[in-house]
Amino acid sequence: MENKVRILLEKALLNAQEKGLLTLPEVPAIALELPKEKGRADLSTNVAMILAKKLKVPPGLVAKAIVENLPNDNHVIEKVDVAGPGFINFFFFNEFFQETLREISSGIQKPTPKVSQKGEKILLEFVGANPTGPLNVVNARAAALGDTLARLFEVTGDHAEREFYVNDEGSQIENLARSVEARYLELDGKTIPEFPEDWYAGEYVKDLAKFIRDGFPKPEIFGTEGKKIYGESIFTKERLALLREGFKDKLFTKISDEKTRLQFLARTAVIYMVNSQRSVLERFRLVFQSWFFQSQLGDSVDKSIAVLKEHGHIYEQDGAIWFRSTTFHDDKDRVLIRQDGRPTYFSADIAYHAYKKKRGFDRLIDLLGPDHHGYIARTKAAIQALGYPEDTLEIYLIQLVTLMSGGKPLRMSKRAGEFITMEELLDEVGIDAARWYFLNRHRDTHLEFDLDLAKLQSDENPLYYVQYAHARIASILRAASEQGVKLASASSIDLTPLVHAAEKELIKKMAQIPSIIRLAAESREPHHLTRYAVELARTFHSFYTECRVLGDPSEKKVSQARLFLVASCKKVLAEILGLMGISSPDKM
RNA sequence: GCGCCCGUAGCUCAGUUGGAUAGAGCGACGGCCUCCGAAGCCGUAGGUCGGGGGUUCGAACCCCUCCGGGCGCGCCA
C-alpha cells in the first residue's frame, strides 16, 4: 500500500521538477503515516514540509506542486488535500483497499529487502552469561530481544546467526572450581572455611558437587561435548567413567595434583552449567546456531595482539602490555597482558571479535548486560585498531529488570543467593508472557516486570488481548466451515463487497506490517512489534463488533469477502507473534 | 568527580528520528450480549512532556543549564 503511494509521489515530484516548479537535488525518502486521528486521511505524508526546509520554499507551495502533478490515471487515490502546515492527505478508492488485501494475503506485501544492500551476514552475540551460575532475568530479556532481532533480520533479507559466548577461562571460573571443591569436601564431612565474597555460594554449586560425588543424571554430555571442547586429556576414559558412577570419596586420590584437579572441576562445571543454560534457553524456544568457548581462542589472542602491535597501538608500561585505545576515543588505555603475564578478559574479547570478523560477517551485533557499559568504547576502539570500520560493530546494552510482585519490587541479592532465575521466571509466568513483556519495552529502559499482571489470564493483560484476537478468528473459521462457507483463494475471491469503514481500517492496519518490521529491524528495537500487535488486535476487535462475518445467507458474497479478510488478518497476527517467538493459539 | 541511560496521564510505557488538537494499556466513571468467543466493543475524565533558557515557520524530540533517579568508571569477568 505504502509503496504504491510512494511511487505516485515520486512521479509527482519528477513531473513538478520537469515543469520547473521544484528543483530537487535528489528524490527524498518519503515517510508515510497513518494519521493519529482517524478520518483525517487514509494515509498522509509530510514530504512537502521536509522539502520546503531544504529548498527554502513555503511548504504550502511545495505541497500544491506535488498534489497538482500526481499522475491522475491511477486507481489508487480518490481524493487528496493539503492540510495543516503542509501535510498531504490521501483518500483511496475502495478498489485500492481490496487490491491491497489481496496482496497481503498472497504474501506480496512482505517487507522488501533493503535497497542499498543485498543482505548482510550478521552475527548476533547475546545472553553471553558466565557459566558460573544459572541464567537470570536480564539474560532472559537479552534472549527474547536477540532471538527476535535475528528473526527480523532474516525477514528483511539479511542473514543472522545467533551465537552464545562462553567465558570459560579466568579467575571467576577458578573461583567456581574452588567453590565446587569446597562443597565436595563438605559432603565428605570436612569442615570448610567461610566462603570468600567472590566464591559461589548458590545451591546449584552444592548440586554440582553432589553430582560429581554420586554421578551425573546425564553423564553423556561429558563424553560428547566435554571431550569435543576440552579434549581427551581432560575427559579421559577413566574420569568419564567416574563422572558416570560418581567419584565417591576418590576425587582427591584420583586427581591428587591440585592444579589438575581444579582444572578438571572447572571444565566439568562449565560443561554442566552450559548444558543447563542451554536447556532453559531451548525451553524459551531459543536455539543458538553456535556456542563459542573462550578457551577455543587458543593462540589467536597472541595473534590479534600482534596485529595491534603492527599497527602501532601497543606499548609496555609497569611490566604490563597496554592497548592505546584512547586513539579511538576511549577514556583511558587498557591492559591486555597483566604484569604476571596472564592475558585480560578484554584481550580475549579482542581476539574473539577479530575471529568473528574473519569468519566473514559483515556486521557484528553484541547485546550486553548493563554492567558492561565500560566495554563499548574499548571494544569499538579495538575493532578500529584491527582495521575494521567502526560501524560494523554495534553494541547495545540491555538494561536492568526489576521484578514486581504485589506492587513491590522483589529484592535480588546475588550474594545471599536470593535471585529469581530465568527458569523460575518461566515457571511463574510462562514463555509467551515472558517474551511479550521483555519485548514490550525499549531495550535501554529499566524494565519493571509485573509478575502479577503477566500471570493474569484476563483482559488486563495485553498479550491475551492479542492472542484472543487470533483465537477469535480461528473460531470464526471453524464456524464457517461448519456452516459450509468456504474460504476462497486470493486469486478467485470477489472482494468488492468490502467497502465498510471498519473493513478499510483493518486493511490499512494490516498493510502496515512491512514498514513496522523494517522499522523494528533497522532500529534494532523490537518493541515496535508489540505495539503494532496491540493496534492490529484492536482494529480487528473493533471491526468484529461492527461487521458480522457469518450470518445472513442472502449476503453470501459479503460473508465470503469478510471471511477472507479475517483469515488474512489471522495470518498477519500469527506472523507478528511468530517474529516474537510467541504462540498464536486457535483456542484459549 | 567524569561518562552513559532515564524523567511524558493515578500506574506501566509508546511517540516512526523536527510536524496536525502529545498517544496506548491498566486503573476510575458511564453505556453495549435473543446474533460468528464480553479474554470483546463504544464513550467520559485524566498532561506545565522534571524546571529554566536557546535554535525556527514549528520542539516531548536538537543545543545549554539546573533538579531528581539508575548504571558504569579493576592488571575481575
Side-chain angles (χ1 to χ4, degrees):
Chain A
M1 181 172 250
E2 290 184 18
N3 281 341
K4 287 241 172 84
V5 177
R6 200 167 276 129
I7 289 166
L8 291 173
L9 275 167
E10 281 166 5
K11 278 189 186 149
L13 287 168
L14 292 175
N15 288 345
Q17 178 158 352
E18 270 174 33
K19 291 184 193 164
L21 293 169
L22 296 170
T23 41
L24 303 165
E26 67 208 32
V27 180
I30 298 168
L32 291 161
E33 60 180 23
L34 259 65
K36 284 169 196 159
E37 203 171 315
K38 66 177 171 187
R40 188 179 264 158
D42 286 329
L43 214 55
S44 64
T45 179
N46 64 353
V47 69
M49 292 184 284
I50 302 286
L51 278 174
K53 187 167 202 169
K54 277 191 191 152
L55 305 176
K56 299 195 166 53
V57 183
L61 285 181
V62 181
K64 195 159 168 272
I66 294 171
V67 168
E68 284 173 355
N69 284 286
L70 280 166
N72 45 24
D73 57 336
N74 64 66
H75 300 279
V76 174
I77 299 165
E78 182 174 28
K79 205 179 92 188
V80 56
D81 60 36
V82 177
F87 285 97
I88 302 174
N89 291 330
F90 300 102
F91 296 87
F92 303 133
F93 288 114
N94 291 336
E95 184 190 343
F96 181 50
F97 283 103
Q98 293 153 11
E99 238 12 76
T100 301
L101 173 59
R102 204 183 298 277
E103 288 179 4
I104 294 167
S105 174
S106 58
I108 294 173
Q109 277 252 350
K110 290 270 176 190
T112 46
K114 293 176 206 162
V115 196
S116 55
Q117 293 148 312
K118 305 176 208 70
E120 291 184 321
K121 260 188 89 183
I122 301 175
L123 186 71
L124 261 167
E125 179 206 338
F126 60 109
V127 183
N130 287 333
T132 51
L135 297 175
N136 59 35
V137 289
V138 177
N139 298 141
R141 186 179 185 180
L145 230 76
D147 186 40
T148 299
L149 277 178
R151 229 177 268 122
L152 281 168
F153 293 145
E154 291 292 345
V155 174
T156 52
D158 294 316
H159 170 73
E161 201 169 309
R162 301 165 179 81
E163 183 156 285
F164 191 116
Y165 182 59
V166 182
N167 302 136
D168 62 339
E169 307 251 285
S171 49
Q172 296 200 7
I173 295 298
E174 203 179 306
N175 291 337
L176 176 67
R178 289 188 186 280
S179 308
V180 172
E181 191 185 67
R183 291 301 182 204
Y184 190 98
L185 286 167
E186 195 175 43
L187 288 171
D188 262 348
K190 308 251 169 40
T191 48
I192 55 165
E194 200 190 325
F195 271 38
E197 189 158 330
D198 50 1
W199 284 27
Y200 296 89
E203 278 305 309
Y204 62 93
V205 179
K206 292 182 188 170
D207 294 342
L208 201 42
K210 200 169 176 334
F211 289 145
I212 290 170
R213 206 185 150 78
D214 300 339
F216 275 86
K218 285 183 191 165
E220 61 278 2
I221 56 175
F222 299 102
T224 52
E225 193 173 19
K227 230 156 79 176
K228 199 178 113 205
I229 306 285
Y230 296 124
E232 293 189 26
S233 63
I234 302 288
F235 292 107
T236 60
K237 258 194 183 141
E238 187 194 14
R239 289 177 188 167
L240 286 174
L242 285 163
L243 284 174
R244 204 161 28 241
E245 306 301 326
F247 273 82
K248 311 298 177 205
D249 54 355
K250 295 198 269 303
L251 177 63
F252 287 79
T253 49
K254 289 286 180 193
I255 313 178
S256 55
D257 175 55
E258 188 191 26
K259 206 176 147 195
T260 312
R261 184 171 59 247
L262 284 174
Q263 192 190 40
F264 172 73
L265 288 176
R267 302 305 202 199
T268 303
V270 166
I271 293 295
Y272 172 76
M273 290 309 312
V274 163
N275 272 280
S276 66
Q277 289 179 349
R278 178 163 29 216
S279 71
V280 175
L281 292 168
E282 279 174 7
R283 179 178 166 203
F284 198 52
R285 308 183 191 123
L286 167 56
V287 174
F288 281 88
Q289 280 77 46
S290 96
W291 292 71
F292 187 81
F293 289 69
Q294 187 184 334
S295 59
Q296 292 174 314
L297 285 170
D299 64 350
S300 58
V301 177
D302 294 334
K303 281 186 186 159
S304 58
I305 291 176
V307 172
L308 294 180
K309 196 168 184 176
E310 249 171 66
H311 291 78
H313 301 305
I314 297 290
Y315 64 93
E316 206 175 326
Q317 191 185 306
D318 305 329
I321 308 287
W322 294 72
F323 167 42
R324 194 177 285 108
S325 56
T326 46
T327 311
F328 305 98
H329 312 109
D330 195 7
D331 323 332
K332 50 187 276 196
D333 294 340
R334 308 291 170 178
V335 171
L336 296 182
I337 308 286
R338 289 178 265 238
Q339 278 183 335
D340 62 10
R342 287 157 52 230
T344 57
Y345 167 78
F346 177 50
S347 69
D349 213 31
I350 293 175
Y352 175 45
H353 280 84
Y355 174 65
K356 288 199 265 191
K357 274 291 185 189
K358 270 186 214 138
R359 287 193 279 161
F361 289 99
D362 305 307
R363 184 173 297 279
L364 310 179
I365 300 180
D366 298 354
L367 305 184
L368 303 179
D371 49 335
H372 282 66
H373 183 265
Y375 264 78
I376 298 179
R378 72 187 71 167
T379 310
K380 288 198 152 211
I383 277 286
Q384 293 171 79
L386 287 166
Y388 300 107
E390 183 190 4
D391 61 4
T392 58
L393 171 66
E394 296 175 28
I395 302 179
Y396 300 104
L397 294 182
I398 310 295
Q399 283 298 345
L400 290 172
V401 177
T402 310
L403 294 176
M404 304 289 284
S405 181
K408 284 185 190 153
L410 291 180
R411 296 204 59 82
M412 306 271 271
S413 150
K414 195 167 183 178
R415 278 194 58 201
E418 297 170 7
F419 53 93
I420 306 256
T421 64
M422 177 171 175
E423 192 164 22
E424 287 161 346
L425 179 73
L426 298 185
D427 292 342
E428 191 78 6
V429 304
I431 293 143
D432 285 347
R435 278 183 172 266
W436 177 273
Y437 284 94
F438 286 134
L439 293 172
N440 193 33
R441 293 283 175 263
H442 192 106
R443 75 176 107 72
D444 56 27
T445 62
H446 298 196
L447 172 69
E448 268 193 35
F449 196 113
D450 188 332
L451 290 171
D452 305 325
L453 177 59
K455 269 189 288 190
L456 215 54
Q457 306 214 351
S458 79
D459 52 347
E460 290 170 43
N461 192 332
L463 166 63
Y464 289 96
Y465 180 81
V466 175
Q467 289 183 322
Y468 177 61
H470 187 271
R472 218 178 191 187
I473 296 173
S475 163
I476 298 172
L477 292 174
R478 284 192 295 270
S481 85
E482 277 166 27
Q483 294 174 27
V485 182
K486 277 202 188 124
L487 180 59
S489 70
S491 52
S492 66
I493 182 78
D494 174 14
L495 295 173
T496 52
L498 300 180
V499 293
H500 194 283
E503 295 164 339
K504 293 196 280 189
E505 282 301 316
L506 185 53
I507 293 170
K508 260 195 291 183
K509 202 32 104 178
M510 287 159 62
Q512 265 194 302
I513 190 176
S515 51
I516 297 294
I517 289 176
R518 179 156 330 97
L519 172 68
E522 288 179 358
S523 62
R524 286 82 166 100
E525 290 170 358
H527 72 273
H528 295 294
L529 299 179
T530 56
R531 275 196 139 12
Y532 173 72
V534 169
E535 285 170 15
L536 180 59
R538 181 176 48 246
T539 314
F540 164 74
H541 286 309
S542 190
F543 155 83
Y544 178 90
T545 314
E546 281 199 54
C547 302
R548 265 199 84 75
V549 177
L550 304 171
D552 195 343
S554 68
E555 303 272 351
K556 202 172 170 198
K557 290 216 156 215
V558 178
S559 279
Q560 284 196 319
R562 285 183 177 165
L563 192 65
F564 184 83
L565 173 62
V566 297
S568 306
C569 179
K570 183 169 176 280
K571 279 190 206 168
V572 177
L573 282 166
E575 185 178 351
I576 210 87
L577 287 170
L579 282 168
M580 298 189 280
I582 295 173
S583 67
S584 310
D586 283 344
K587 281 183 181 171
M588 294 173 67

